[in-house]
Amino acid sequence: MYKKISILLKTLVLPAAVMLVTGTLGVGTWAQAATQSGNKIEKLTPSMSYAEYQKRYEKYYGDFTAQMAEEGNPAEFLLDDGKDLANKVVGSKGKSCASCHGKDALQLKGAATTFPKYNAELKGIMTFPLQINTCREKQMGAKPLKYESYDQLALTMYIKSLSNGMPIKVSIDGPARPFYEKGQVAYYKRQGQLNFSCAICHVQYAGYKARSNLISNNKHHADHWPCYRLKWGKTGSLQRRFRGCLKNMRAKKPPFQSEELRNMELYLTYLNNGDLIQVPGMRM
Ligand code: HEC
Ligand code: HEC
């Protein structure tokens, strides 16, 4: 059985929909951690080893994961459309992605492994969806694709799939460093009406249950996007998932590809260095 934990914040009225973690963790410990603020990072330790977490994950999702694999991933359909988009001429300059990146954009094999990364022109962090829109605007004279639209997801997924099976190797050296640090602070910062941080769930309480989910360890969080989610009935991006968790935290949701979300994406993806890219993913 899972050991139950308690999140008993004094002011907290937990809507039944948000969480169901109840039980034994002392209020004292919790309140202490909650008093920290500013840019300081609250030191959190995972409540269990990664091996123990994996055991719980397999026990909890075991049959379900196998069943999903058997039924196939609906997001696979986007791959063909993404490939067509890569070869399609659009915009005022009469070019397709293939004009510069080779037939089917195959020269971009491996490109996704280094994203997100620092970009001097942007003076910030370039993510994969943003890079694709930047090429459309600057290189093709075409309109950027709306984030989370079918075409944006399909193109991102197809180009990213060219790096499937390759390890993530994101750099946080040099000018990327301050953005990485901001992303880390955001990940550990308590926010929203529930006063949670991302790290409380995905570092400290990974392996415990929240609602009907087992909270995942943040290893492998960034390697499978765009991903099909049953709950959405749709494919979405990593930033959509960030915004979903922020909403559950009753916190502010920065817009897609805002600086905040790009920095957070850098932080999380760096943690996943060495994990193999596998898109499209599929999750509950
Ligand atoms: C006119 C040429 C041109 C076209 C057309 C073009 N790109 Fe690019 N692309 C570039 C150049 C040049 C770079 C590298 C410099 C930069 O960062 O802008 C680049 C960089 C990239 C990268 C990052 C590669 C890396 O390893 O960092 C990706 C991904 C990419 N393009 C995708 C696309 C997609 C998808 C399309 C079609 C929507 C497209 N590009 C259209 C010229 C082009
Ligand atoms: C109250 C606990 C809680 C908090 C706080 C929380 N999450 Fe989540 N998160 C979940 C649950 C539950 C899921 C769905 C099951 C799972 O994969 O953990 C999830 C899923 C995710 C996933 C998808 C994992 C995958 O394998 O596809 C990502 C990425 C993620 N969260 C990032 C974040 C970020 C970033 C923050 C902070 C902005 C955050 N979460 C805050 C509980 C939380």
Side-chain angles (χ1 to χ4, degrees):
M1 278 315 293
Y2 304 119
K3 195 176 130 211
K4 290 190 173 164
I5 53 167
S6 125
I7 294 174
L8 297 172
L9 295 173
K10 246 192 291 173
T11 53
L12 193 65
V13 186
L14 277 177
V18 178
M19 288 201 61
L20 57 59
V21 240
T22 46
T24 57
L25 186 93
V27 182
T29 327
W30 204 262
Q32 224 173 8
T35 57
Q36 303 192 355
S37 63
N39 281 357
K40 263 215 281 197
I41 289 170
E42 196 180 312
K43 288 259 183 294
L44 298 172
T45 13
S47 306
M48 66 189 76
S49 69
Y50 191 69
E52 169 63 17
Y53 160 75
Q54 274 180 309
K55 262 205 326 234
R56 289 185 180 207
Y57 186 92
E58 269 154 41
K59 196 168 154 205
Y60 193 76
Y61 287 115
D63 292 346
F64 186 76
T65 315
Q67 203 182 320
M68 282 201 308
E70 213 169 277
E71 281 163 18
N73 186 343
E76 300 271 353
F77 289 111
L78 275 72
L79 285 174
D80 280 347
D81 292 329
K83 192 200 254 188
D84 289 346
L85 284 167
N87 290 308
K88 191 172 154 193
V89 173
V90 280
S92 58
K93 299 187 180 172
K95 294 204 190 301
S96 70
C97 311
S99 313
C100 298
H101 298 298
K103 183 172 181 294
D104 300 339
L106 286 178
Q107 284 163 11
L108 291 172
K109 185 174 161 68
T113 58
T114 60
F115 277 81
K117 63 164 107 167
Y118 180 76
N119 180 286
E121 226 172 295
L122 190 63
K123 293 197 181 62
I125 296 307
M126 181 65 95
T127 61
F128 219 54
L130 182 59
Q131 172 73 61
I132 288 169
N133 271 348
T134 305
C135 275
R136 277 178 64 96
E137 285 191 87
K138 295 205 172 140
Q139 310 280 359
M140 299 163 78
K143 274 205 290 223
L145 296 165
K146 192 171 179 299
Y147 294 111
E148 306 305 299
S149 67
Y150 183 90
D151 283 3
Q152 164 56 246
L153 290 166
L155 195 51
T156 297
M157 185 193 293
Y158 167 69
I159 306 284
K160 220 171 164 188
S161 75
L162 301 173
S163 304
N164 270 351
M166 299 169 76
I168 295 173
K169 44 170 202 242
V170 160
S171 164
I172 55 162
D173 295 339
R177 188 83 208 185
F179 299 97
Y180 165 82
E181 280 165 5
K182 280 191 215 168
Q184 183 178 40
V185 167
Y187 199 79
Y188 278 83
K189 191 174 108 185
R190 286 170 175 272
Q191 52 182 319
Q193 286 168 25
L194 303 181
N195 207 27
F196 276 116
S197 69
C198 314
I200 285 177
C201 283
H202 293 297
V203 175
Q204 192 170 17
Y205 289 115
Y208 289 97
K209 276 202 277 183
R211 287 155 94 183
S212 56
N213 290 304
L214 194 73
I215 302 175
S216 52
N217 185 293
N218 61 19
K219 192 167 166 54
H220 295 297
H221 262 195
D223 57 9
H224 57 283
W225 301 91
C227 169
Y228 183 85
R229 267 195 90 199
L230 291 170
K231 193 185 154 207
W232 297 335
K234 192 172 180 300
T235 302
S237 69
L238 177 59
Q239 293 196 0
R240 179 171 177 189
R241 185 68 247 209
F242 286 175
R243 283 164 49 97
C245 280
L246 284 164
K247 186 171 169 231
N248 291 342
M249 292 155 76
R250 304 279 190 275
K252 195 177 109 236
K253 291 186 298 176
F256 287 106
Q257 302 303 330
S258 57
E259 199 201 319
E260 288 103 312
L261 295 187
R262 283 184 282 117
N263 293 344
M264 191 178 270
E265 185 165 335
L266 175 67
Y267 173 70
L268 189 67
T269 312
Y270 177 75
L271 288 186
N272 287 183
N273 264 357
D275 293 350
L276 307 182
I277 293 180
Q278 199 55 60
V279 300
M282 191 169 173
R283 293 287 188 278
M284 277 175 87

